[in-house]
């Protein structure tokens, strides 16, 4: 567990939004409560920033629905507590029977992470491989896959706005005063508001806290964001406000998209979305004339109609005006672990699979699979059918689809129709109450944990939280749960672990060499790398920190895939040694650390298209644009 400072404050982080700001907390060890909370000034990203959300932290630690024993559903729908050995054995037997009869493609994996708890998902990958799981889904498929698809087609990389230095900040369906989305949000929003040379533009039906601060609030009618964004892009082309030399040097497809945008009737679109045309033109001109623009969309757009089209159109607004790859604009950040690749089952193990080149679709509904994820809202359709390829079992980890998906009643019926449903979670959620088995995990403060929402530029940070409390009796960290499942499925045993256990006793370098040697000779070492690391490297880590072992593998992969950014952050040189130094630094940095330092020029090599040119033309979305 984390050792408190001399004044009794422990280092940790907020888990209530994706930023995971660094915190210092005081605890009541006897009652396992978080009693006082303040910002951690030593945190390299949040720098002491804190909002009121963090004050609710103890609720997540001590919620009334927390579990302290595996639960098994009785035939009458009630639950009984069972021991861990019984739960693991029965679950493994039932999953094996379904896999062997219908194939791993009949098992759907849902979840794997929440806002501040991603580390467990690195271990869930091994259980999925042991079961032959082919289909996955999680909250990203409810919110972000449209944006990911567009970003992949246009830029092949994620990009994050430099709101601290931009002249104009634009937010679409986004209220960063409340939901944040970038570091130190309220401080930066106040700075923009107070500076007469800077502007804030908000596209939102609500007069949100951020809209109240805006210089220009385009208050669209609900569900009409696409018309507003199309009109903005059309104004840029029709008034010839685009950055012609920049577009000629850095993009392809301008002729095709500009021909479409010239035909858009701006006046009619303005009427339809309910925004005064004069105000629309004022916003477009401000974006075009600014030295730098950063733009960000969020759930208000992404969980609405025409969301994928909206993601495309908002990117056109800042790309047609040349706002990429410079200070104050959107730039390509360097992730520690790509969530898009991890969703596909890539990017963690030493034997990474090549990306799937063919378009994949779900087996029953034929829904497009993006970044390896089934669209959330077709899951019931994939189950409630007599189709031979239907899903017959689900493993749900750190997710609550009965509560969070669009049709809760249909999702509840789908869970009940499965031959087997297993939930791994800290609490008896709405979804857990429908499952056949519920396996209780430690809370986010009873184990080492972290987030892979590392999106900052040019200095990107990672923070491994150390546990504040011992695990609640009867609960286990996800690393241990998945290790037991994989072992019960017959995939790993002490025979696989023994050589690496011995190497771990000789030090980190010896372990690194042994892991590389054995992973080439025993396919299970690479295939189930996270579990192997947990069982062999984990015991050599400080007490309570064994679940952090998977980060060793991620650190090794990261320094090889991003050598320049890693070296600028102090982790250069021989790759094995650099990866070890990074891993040790993560373990020994209770406030987090900077793992990547980028330059604005690095945003261009990140565009992995011919000549590193951004693609402005997505013909797949032309029918959607014409529907407007």
């Amino acid at each position: 567990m984390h050792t408190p400072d001399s004044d009794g404050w422990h280092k940790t982080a907020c888990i209530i939004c994706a930023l995971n700001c660094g915190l210092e907390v005081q605890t009541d060890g006897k009652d396992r409560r978080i009693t006082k909370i303040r910002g951690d000034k030593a945190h390299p990203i949040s720098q002491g920033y804190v909002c009121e959300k963090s004050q609710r932290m103890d609720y997540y630690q001590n919620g009334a629905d927390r579990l302290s024993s595996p639960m098994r559903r009785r035939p009458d729908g009630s639950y009984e507590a069972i021991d861990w050995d019984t739960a693991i054995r029965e679950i493994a037997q039932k999953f094996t029977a379904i896999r062997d009869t219908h194939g791993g493609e009949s098992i759907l994996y849902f979840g794997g992470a929440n806002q501040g708890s991603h580390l467990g998902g690195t271990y869930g990958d091994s259980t999925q491989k042991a079961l032959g799981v082919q289909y996955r889904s999680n909250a990203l498929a409810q919110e972000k896959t449209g944006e990911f698809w567009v970003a992949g087609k246009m830029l092949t990389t994620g990009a994050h706005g430099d709101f601290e230095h931009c002249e104009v900040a634009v937010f679409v369906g986004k209220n960063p005063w409340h939901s944040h989305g970038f570091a130190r949000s309220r401080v930066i929003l106040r700075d923009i508001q107070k500076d007469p040379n800077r502007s804030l533009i908000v596209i939102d039906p609500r007069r949100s806290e951020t809209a109240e601060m805006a210089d220009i609030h385009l208050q669209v009618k609900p569900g009409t964001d696409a018309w507003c964004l199309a009109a903005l892009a059309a104004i840029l082309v029709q008034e010839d406000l685009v950055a012609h030399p920049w577009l000629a040097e850095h993009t392809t497809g301008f002729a095709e998209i500009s021909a479409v945008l010239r035909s858009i009737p701006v006046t009619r679109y303005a009427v339809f979305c309910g925004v005064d045309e004069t105000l629309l033109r004022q916003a477009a001109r401000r974006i075009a004339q600014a030295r730098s623009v950063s733009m960000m969309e969020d759930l208000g757009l992404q969980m609405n109609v025409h969301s994928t089209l909206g993601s495309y159109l908002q990117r056109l607004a800042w790309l047609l005006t040349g706002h990429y790859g410079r200070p104050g604009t959107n730039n390509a950040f360097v992730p520690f672990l790509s969530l898009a690749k991890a969703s596909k089952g890539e990017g963690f193990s030493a034997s990474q699979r090549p990306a799937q080149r063919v378009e994949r679709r779900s087996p029953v509904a034929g829904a497009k699979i993006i970044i390896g994820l089934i669209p959330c809202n077709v899951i019931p359709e994939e189950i409630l059918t007599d189709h031979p390829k239907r899903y017959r079992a689900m493993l749900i980890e750190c997710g609550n689809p009965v509560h969070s998906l669009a049709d809760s009643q249909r999702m509840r019926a789908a869970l009940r129709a499965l031959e087997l449903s297993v939930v791994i979670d800290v609490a008896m959620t709405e979804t857990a109450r429908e499952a056949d088995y519920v396996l209780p995990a430690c809370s986010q403060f009873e184990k080492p944990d972290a987030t892979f929402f590392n999106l900052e530029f040019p200095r990107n940070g990672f923070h491994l939280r150390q546990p504040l409390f011992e695990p609640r009796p009867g609960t286990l960290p996800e690393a241990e749960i998945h290790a037991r499942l994989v072992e019960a499925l017959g995939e790993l045993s002490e025979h696989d672990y023994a050589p690496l256990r011995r190497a771990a006793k000789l030090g980190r370098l010896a372990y690194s060499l042994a892991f590389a040697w054995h992973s080439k000779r025993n396919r299970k070492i690479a295939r189930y790398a996270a579990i192997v690391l947990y069982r062999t490297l984990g015991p050599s880590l400080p007490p309570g920190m064994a679940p952090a072992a998977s980060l060793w593998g991620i650190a090794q992969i990261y320094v090889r895939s991003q050598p320049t950014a890693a070296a600028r952050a102090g982790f250069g040189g021989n790759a094995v040694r650099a990866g070890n130094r990074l891993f040790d630094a993560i373990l020994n940095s209770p406030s987090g650390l900077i793992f990547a330092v980028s330059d604005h020029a690095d945003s261009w090599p990140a565009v992995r298209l011919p000549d590193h040119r951004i693609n402005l033309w997505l013909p797949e979305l032309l029918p959607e644009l014409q529907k407007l």
Side-chain angles (χ1 to χ4, degrees):
M1 294 194 303
H2 176 259
T3 302
D5 296 338
S6 58
D7 57 357
W9 290 90
H10 302 257
K11 304 283 190 179
T12 187
C14 180
I15 61 169
I16 302 182
C17 91
L19 286 184
N20 304 117
C21 296
L23 301 177
E24 294 180 327
V25 302
Q26 288 186 343
T27 64
D28 181 337
K30 179 181 178 182
D31 294 328
R32 304 165 60 84
R33 306 203 73 90
I34 298 171
T35 56
K36 292 183 180 180
I37 298 171
R38 69 187 186 189
D40 180 6
K41 295 180 181 179
H43 194 275
I45 301 299
S46 59
Q47 301 172 23
Y49 178 88
V50 69
C51 78
E52 69 273 14
K53 294 181 187 181
S54 64
Q55 306 306 309
R56 312 301 194 271
M57 210 64 60
D58 189 64
Y59 173 83
Y60 291 85
Q61 170 60 26
N62 293 297
D65 290 332
R66 283 207 60 191
L67 292 163
S68 57
S69 172
M71 306 298 287
R72 179 173 60 195
R73 187 180 181 90
R74 296 188 180 102
D76 65 0
S78 63
Y79 284 87
E80 59 182 337
I82 58 176
D83 62 82
W84 274 102
D85 288 344
T86 299
I88 295 294
R89 183 180 67 253
E90 291 184 1
I91 290 169
Q93 289 172 349
K94 292 180 180 182
F95 268 132
T96 298
I98 293 170
R99 179 197 63 191
D100 292 350
T101 303
H102 303 287
E105 62 270 22
S106 67
I107 303 171
L108 175 65
Y109 178 84
F110 185 95
N114 63 25
Q115 296 284 34
S117 187
H118 289 172
L119 202 53
T122 64
Y123 295 99
D125 177 71
S126 292
T127 299
Q128 293 172 66
K129 289 174 180 174
L131 293 173
V133 169
Q134 301 296 311
Y135 297 106
R136 313 163 189 232
S137 193
N138 60 38
L140 290 176
Q142 189 176 8
E143 305 162 350
K144 299 291 184 181
T145 45
E147 181 186 21
F148 285 7
W149 183 85
V150 168
K153 290 285 187 178
M154 299 183 78
L155 294 150
T156 69
T157 184
H160 196 57
D162 180 8
F163 295 101
E164 185 172 2
H165 302 105
C166 66
E167 182 179 327
V168 175
V170 187
F171 299 104
V172 186
K174 174 73 179 172
N175 180 16
W177 183 267
H178 184 69
S179 65
H180 299 85
F182 53 94
R184 303 169 58 249
S185 303
R186 293 186 178 182
V187 173
I188 291 171
L189 287 172
R190 287 195 195 99
D191 288 345
I192 296 173
Q193 184 185 36
K194 290 185 292 186
D195 191 334
N197 297 314
R198 303 175 74 185
S199 296
L200 179 60
I201 300 173
V202 173
I203 302 175
D204 200 309
R206 293 181 59 248
R207 192 153 183 83
S208 66
E209 292 89 342
T210 308
E212 286 280 359
M213 305 173 70
D215 300 279
I216 301 174
H217 177 201
L218 304 179
Q219 193 168 10
V220 296
K221 296 176 184 176
T224 64
D225 303 77
W227 282 265
C228 178
L229 292 165
L232 274 178
I235 292 167
L236 294 173
V237 169
Q238 293 172 14
E239 294 191 7
D240 198 25
L241 299 173
V242 301
H244 286 289
W246 189 91
L247 291 170
E249 182 179 359
H250 292 298
T251 71
T252 60
F254 173 67
E256 291 84 351
I257 191 59
S258 63
V260 174
L261 295 175
R262 285 192 193 96
S263 67
I264 286 178
V266 172
T267 300
R268 195 167 77 203
Y269 278 35
V271 170
F272 189 80
C273 71
V275 177
D276 181 80
E277 182 181 347
T278 302
L279 199 60
L280 265 174
R281 293 187 181 276
Q282 180 185 343
R285 292 164 187 162
R286 185 68 181 97
I287 291 170
Q289 294 162 3
R291 180 184 67 258
S292 59
V293 174
S294 283
M295 195 162 177
M296 187 177 193
E297 64 177 74
D298 211 343
L299 304 188
L301 172 68
Q302 293 165 352
M303 298 189 74
N304 213 319
V305 294
H306 304 295
S307 58
T308 302
L309 178 61
S311 295
Y312 176 41
L313 293 169
Q314 75 91 355
R315 279 168 175 74
L316 287 177
W318 48 271
L319 288 171
L320 290 171
T321 47
H323 295 297
Y324 176 77
R326 294 184 288 106
T329 69
N330 289 63
N331 286 273
F333 58 88
V334 175
F336 188 37
L337 174 68
S338 168
L339 291 179
K341 289 183 177 179
S343 294
K344 297 177 184 177
E346 304 167 34
F348 175 74
S349 71
S351 58
Q352 298 179 53
R353 296 182 299 171
Q356 301 258 4
R357 299 300 180 189
V358 297
E359 180 180 272
R360 297 182 64 217
R361 292 186 176 270
S362 65
V364 176
K368 182 180 289 187
I369 297 174
I370 301 173
I371 64 162
L373 300 177
I374 299 289
C376 289
N377 289 341
V378 306
I379 291 174
E381 187 178 347
E382 300 284 338
I383 297 170
L384 296 172
T385 174
D386 59 359
H387 194 287
K389 296 295 185 181
R390 68 185 180 274
Y391 302 139
R392 298 169 185 269
M394 282 186 72
L395 176 58
I396 301 167
E397 180 176 7
C398 212
N400 189 7
V402 163
H403 182 69
S404 62
L405 300 194
D407 190 338
S408 294
Q409 294 302 322
R410 190 162 166 78
M411 187 65 219
R412 185 175 281 110
L415 271 180
R416 291 173 178 170
L418 292 167
E419 297 173 27
L420 177 64
S421 54
V422 178
V423 166
I424 301 173
D425 213 318
V426 299
M428 199 68 172
T429 64
E430 291 85 350
T431 301
R433 293 188 188 107
E434 305 298 332
D436 297 311
Y437 293 87
V438 186
L439 302 179
C442 304
S443 81
Q444 294 93 331
F445 300 107
E446 297 168 353
K447 62 196 173 195
D449 217 331
T451 175
F452 296 117
F453 289 140
N454 317 116
L455 311 178
E456 297 302 317
F457 179 95
R459 290 163 53 85
N460 208 351
F462 181 80
H463 184 193
L464 173 65
R465 303 193 311 274
Q466 300 180 15
L468 298 176
F469 308 103
E470 295 289 343
R472 184 171 183 163
T475 68
L476 294 174
E478 290 89 346
E480 181 66 27
I481 295 172
H482 287 293
R484 293 188 186 191
L485 284 170
V486 171
E487 289 159 359
L489 290 165
E491 293 297 304
L492 289 172
S493 68
E494 185 58 32
H495 172 77
D496 302 298
Y497 302 144
L500 292 173
R501 287 192 199 275
R502 291 193 293 270
K505 295 178 181 179
L506 301 177
R508 198 82 77 232
L509 181 59
Y511 183 86
S512 304
L513 298 173
F515 189 91
W517 192 89
H518 285 287
S519 64
K520 291 181 178 179
R521 287 155 181 79
N522 181 351
R523 68 175 188 85
K524 292 181 178 181
I525 300 297
R527 182 173 177 79
Y528 305 116
I531 302 297
V532 173
L533 290 170
Y534 172 67
R535 287 294 194 220
T536 60
L537 180 63
S540 71
L541 302 183
M545 295 297 287
S550 63
L551 293 174
W552 179 86
I554 296 170
Q556 294 291 338
I557 292 170
Y558 165 73
V559 298
R560 288 165 172 78
S561 62
Q562 300 288 346
T564 302
R568 289 182 186 139
F571 305 104
N574 175 271
V576 172
R577 295 180 185 274
N580 285 336
R581 288 202 310 276
L582 176 55
F583 178 62
D584 288 336
I586 289 170
L587 291 175
N588 295 309
S589 301
S591 292
L593 80 168
I594 297 298
F595 70 88
V597 177
S598 302
D599 188 83
H600 296 91
D602 298 332
S603 292
W604 292 106
V607 179
R608 297 181 302 278
L609 293 169
D611 299 322
H612 304 295
R613 288 174 174 261
I614 296 167
N615 173 35
L616 301 178
W617 177 235
L618 301 187
E620 300 97 326
L621 290 180
L622 184 58
E624 296 299 315
L625 187 57
Q626 291 171 334
K627 285 180 184 178
L628 301 186

